[in-house]
């Protein structure tokens, strides 16, 4: 075997192991913790009622139990919002890898609380546990794509960053399997199910310290060229590419002595406003498109299609498998098709399937076979989401912002995701109650609007360096500014000529 092939093998192996170690305790946790809360719903609601009877001697009404359950579910989103705000400062102060390791403190505390909630007979402990695991997910959802994007070579940057979505889908699928009645989904095991997320966290704590920090962080943020070269050597093989080192040095030179931007500084920077609007719109659309809501609607669809109650949990696993398969397929296509095409194509397909889904729900009970068409729409909608928005959205802050602005950009992107996830989770039951079979029309509108906006504003970033992407936005900004100045000039000429006419008439 030649030296070059050995280097490539070492590069791919080290990079692959780094990705797996970071993701097991990162975005896999996000997907896993979304999935495991569904199966013990009835048992936890029963525990809520029993706890209140023991404390106050009065049983809660159905609406009161639902309200407390909503607080438990919503605590995850609120914790995620706090985690998103913590992610930027932690990534700057501690580094990308060290932040992911420290992030497991929230996870371990959450697992201990989950295990102690039943002996303590406390619903409040469950809420606190879900809040802390949300903080963990919020940090990892922001820092992990940053770590991947800064560690991967340019040719593999998109594919490596997209692995965050692959591991999210894997976490959903794993959580659905672990939540089966035969595994940890029974009434006696729900505290262990909620605490089982500690196992991936322990795996990360044992493995991630063996892998290098982000090379770009080491050179640009810490100014340690030797550590950067060593990290690149481990991630790429024995020989460090001069071109790649020059690219990082060029970015360091452009940054100069500047420090990382704060949230307020990024919001005030007019030169980055177009990129920021794109990231905010894409992050919001990812949660407002209704993909997470369709998971909750899937059980009803399967029931209407004639799937027996005891087998619905197995049919639901198919939804997680769909998103996992779509994420892998997207990972294989992203460096060929490009980010823009996958993102736009995903939203267009989702809009189309939302229309078909609405028709099938409207005709259910009137036309034979509609429940099965509804099932097909559930899987197709999830596949379309996994092919584009699920993975590409997380890459955008890495590719559109430089090292100084990237942490703050991820803070904003993550905050938009968690706020909108919270809003959709709270609003979806009311949407269903008021719109009935037309409940996916608003989501269809979000998909159409997102596709149009991103089509008009987002350039293709495949295979481009940060300087090339920035130059593209500068050209667009200059073009927009020139057009604005030209319009102002034409307006002034029109006003001047009209004034001249008035004077002559006078």
């Amino acid at each position: 075997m030649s030296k070059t092939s050995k280097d490539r093998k070492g590069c791919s192996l080290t990079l692959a192991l780094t990705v797996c170690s970071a993701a097991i305790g990162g975005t896999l946790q996000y997907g896993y913790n979304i999935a495991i809360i569904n199966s013990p719903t009835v048992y936890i609601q029963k525990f809520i009622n029993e706890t209140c009877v023991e404390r106050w001697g009065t049983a809660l009404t159905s609406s009161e139990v639902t309200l407390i359950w909503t607080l438990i579910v919503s605590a995850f989103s609120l914790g995620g919002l706090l985690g998103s705000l913590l992610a930027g400062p932690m990534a700057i102060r501690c580094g990308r890898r060290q932040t992911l390791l420290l992030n497991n403190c929230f996870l371990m505390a959450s697992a201990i609380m989950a295990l102690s909630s039943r002996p303590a007979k406390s619903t409040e402990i469950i809420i606190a546990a879900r809040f802390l695991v949300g903080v963990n997910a919020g940090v990892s959802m922001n820092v992990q794509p940053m770590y991947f994007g800064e560690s991967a070579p340019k040719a593999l940057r998109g594919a490596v960053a997209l692995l965050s979505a692959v591991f999210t889908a894997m976490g959903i699928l794993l959580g659905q399997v672990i939540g089966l009645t035969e595994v940890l989904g029974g009434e006696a095991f729900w505290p262990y199910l909620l605490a089982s997320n500690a196992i991936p966290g322990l795996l990360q704590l044992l493995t991630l310290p063996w892998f290098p920090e982000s090379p770009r962080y080491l050179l640009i943020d810490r100014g340690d060229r030797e550590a950067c070269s060593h990290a690149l050597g481990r991630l790429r093989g024995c020989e460090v590419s001069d071109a790649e080192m020059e690219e990082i040095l060029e970015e360091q030179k452009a940054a100069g002595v500047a420090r990382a931007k704060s949230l307020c500084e990024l919001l005030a920077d007019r030169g980055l406003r177009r990129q920021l609007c794109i990231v905010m719109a894409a992050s919001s659309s990812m949660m407002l498109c209704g993909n997470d809501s369709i998971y909750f609607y899937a059980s009803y669809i399967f029931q209407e299609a004639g799937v027996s109650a005891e087998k619905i949990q197995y049919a639901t696993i198919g939804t997680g498998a769909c998103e996992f398969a779509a994420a892998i397929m997207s990972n294989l296509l992203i460096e060929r098709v490009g980010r823009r095409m996958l993102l736009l194509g995903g939203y267009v397909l989702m809009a189309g399937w939302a229309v078909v889904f609405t028709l099938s729900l409207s005709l259910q009970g009137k036309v034979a076979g509609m429940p099965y068409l509804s099932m097909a729409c559930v899987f197709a909608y999830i596949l379309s989401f996994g092919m584009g928005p699920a993975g590409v959205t997380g890459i955008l802050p890495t590719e559109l912002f430089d090292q100084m602005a990237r942490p703050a950009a991820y803070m904003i992107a993550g905050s938009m995701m968690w706020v909108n996830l919270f809003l959709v989770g709270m609003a979806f039951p009311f949407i269903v109650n008021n719109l009935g079979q037309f409940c996916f029309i608003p989501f269809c509108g979000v998909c159409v609007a997102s596709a149009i906006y991103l089509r008009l504003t987002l350039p293709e970033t495949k295979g481009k360096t940060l300087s090339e992407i920035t130059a593209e936005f500068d050209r667009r900004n200059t073009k927009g500014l020139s057009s604005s100045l030209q319009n102002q000039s034409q307006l002034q000429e029109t006003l001047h000529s009209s004034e001249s006419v008035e004077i002559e008439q006078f």
Side-chain angles (χ1 to χ4, degrees):
M1 186 183 291
S2 65
K3 183 179 179 181
T4 304
S5 62
K6 286 181 179 178
D7 291 349
R8 287 176 180 170
K9 183 177 179 181
C11 167
S12 60
L13 180 61
T14 304
L15 189 60
L17 291 175
T18 302
V19 165
C20 288
S21 178
I24 283 173
T27 53
L28 182 138
Q29 289 280 14
Y30 168 72
Y32 186 79
N33 285 292
I34 279 182
I36 61 173
I37 197 63
N38 291 323
S39 56
T41 299
V42 176
Y43 307 132
I44 295 178
Q45 288 180 345
K46 181 181 176 183
F47 171 76
I48 292 169
N49 206 10
E50 289 175 349
T51 301
C52 290
V53 169
E54 285 193 24
R55 286 184 183 180
W56 298 295
T58 305
L60 297 175
T61 63
S62 176
S63 59
E64 290 171 337
V65 171
T66 303
L67 176 61
I68 296 175
W69 172 249
T70 303
L71 288 174
I72 292 173
V73 175
S74 301
F76 181 72
S77 300
L78 295 175
L81 176 60
L82 177 59
S84 296
L85 297 175
L86 291 174
M90 287 179 69
I92 294 168
R93 183 180 295 272
C94 307
R96 291 26 168 173
R97 184 192 63 171
Q98 193 67 20
T99 296
L100 290 173
L101 290 170
L102 291 173
N103 191 33
N104 286 290
C105 295
F106 301 113
L107 186 69
M108 297 306 166
S110 168
I112 293 170
M113 286 183 174
L115 289 173
S116 62
S117 60
R118 187 156 59 184
K121 297 180 181 179
S122 172
T123 304
E124 295 82 1
I125 290 180
I126 302 177
I127 296 173
R130 290 296 293 176
F131 180 82
L132 287 177
V133 82
V135 174
N136 173 270
V139 172
S140 63
M141 286 287 285
N142 286 357
V143 177
Q144 182 186 302
M146 201 187 311
Y147 183 37
F148 286 178
E150 294 174 4
S151 300
K154 183 174 67 174
L156 295 175
R157 187 178 59 204
V160 170
L162 194 62
L163 285 171
S164 294
V166 174
F167 277 93
T168 298
M170 184 188 295
I172 291 173
L173 181 58
L174 181 62
Q176 289 172 337
V177 173
I178 298 297
L180 289 172
T181 306
E182 294 83 355
V183 189
L184 290 179
E187 184 173 4
F189 301 109
W190 64 260
Y192 302 101
L193 177 62
L194 296 184
S196 60
N197 51 29
I199 296 174
L202 286 172
L203 288 175
Q204 184 181 74
L205 287 172
L206 293 172
T207 56
L208 192 57
W210 297 96
F211 299 107
E213 177 59 90
S214 156
R216 288 179 181 273
Y217 171 79
L218 291 171
L219 180 58
I220 300 173
D221 288 76
R222 288 176 46 183
D224 194 337
R225 181 167 181 171
E226 184 179 346
C228 172
S229 180
H230 179 68
L232 279 175
R234 292 189 61 194
L235 290 168
R236 307 288 183 268
C238 297
E239 296 181 4
V240 179
S241 168
D242 292 335
E244 185 170 13
M245 180 61 81
E246 282 298 321
E247 181 191 338
I248 301 176
L249 287 170
E250 182 182 341
E251 189 174 342
Q252 183 197 33
K253 184 179 179 181
V257 295
R259 57 175 177 80
K261 291 180 182 291
S262 67
L263 195 62
C264 294
E265 289 171 340
L266 178 59
L267 291 171
D269 192 335
R270 290 181 174 272
L272 296 175
R273 191 155 295 174
R274 188 184 292 263
Q275 293 95 310
L276 191 59
C277 288
I278 290 172
V279 166
M280 290 174 69
S283 300
S284 299
S285 300
M286 182 180 173
M287 293 303 172
L288 293 176
C289 69
N291 183 74
D292 291 325
S293 300
I294 211 167
Y295 278 107
F296 298 111
Y297 214 64
S299 296
Y300 167 75
I301 295 299
F302 296 145
Q303 184 179 349
E304 289 296 311
V307 179
S308 61
E310 62 273 9
K311 292 183 179 179
I312 285 178
Q313 60 178 341
Y314 302 104
T316 306
I317 290 176
T319 60
C322 271
E323 187 166 341
F324 182 50
I328 293 175
M329 193 179 303
S330 180
N331 189 267
L332 298 174
L333 292 174
I334 190 168
E335 295 299 344
R336 296 182 182 181
V337 178
R339 287 78 159 135
R340 192 165 177 264
M341 183 62 70
L342 286 177
L343 196 58
L344 297 181
Y347 280 123
V348 169
L349 287 173
M350 289 167 71
W353 287 117
V355 173
V356 177
F357 191 36
T358 301
L359 290 174
S360 67
L361 290 176
S362 301
L363 296 174
Q364 204 152 291
K366 301 174 184 178
V367 179
M370 285 300 103
Y372 298 100
L373 178 58
S374 298
M375 284 181 66
C377 288
V378 168
F379 290 114
Y381 200 88
I382 291 171
L383 279 169
S384 303
F385 177 78
M387 283 287 292
V392 178
T393 304
I395 300 173
L396 295 180
T398 297
E399 299 197 332
L400 300 186
F401 294 91
D402 63 18
Q403 192 79 7
M404 297 297 103
R406 196 171 293 138
Y410 267 106
M411 287 172 65
I412 293 173
S415 298
M416 296 303 296
M417 287 173 60
W418 287 103
V419 167
N420 285 290
L421 177 63
F422 175 77
L423 293 176
V424 170
M426 295 294 290
F428 185 68
F430 300 99
I431 292 174
V432 173
N433 289 335
N434 289 283
L435 296 182
Q437 67 268 29
F438 301 105
C439 62
F440 266 80
I441 293 298
F443 300 133
C444 177
V446 169
C447 292
V448 172
S450 302
I452 293 172
Y453 177 76
L454 294 172
R455 168 72 176 79
L456 296 174
T457 59
L458 179 65
E460 180 55 68
T461 59
K462 181 185 73 172
K464 294 181 181 178
T465 64
L466 180 63
S467 58
E468 292 171 338
I469 296 169
T470 303
E472 173 68 23
F473 278 105
D474 289 342
R475 281 194 297 272
R476 294 187 178 206
N477 291 333
T478 303
K479 183 178 178 181
L481 181 61
S482 300
S483 177
S484 176
L485 292 174
Q486 185 178 0
N487 291 336
Q488 285 183 351
S489 177
Q490 290 176 351
L491 181 61
Q492 288 175 354
E493 288 177 5
T494 303
L495 291 173
H496 180 70
S497 61
S498 66
E499 288 174 358
S500 299
V501 171
E502 288 177 2
I503 292 171
E504 288 177 2
Q505 288 177 347
F506 178 75

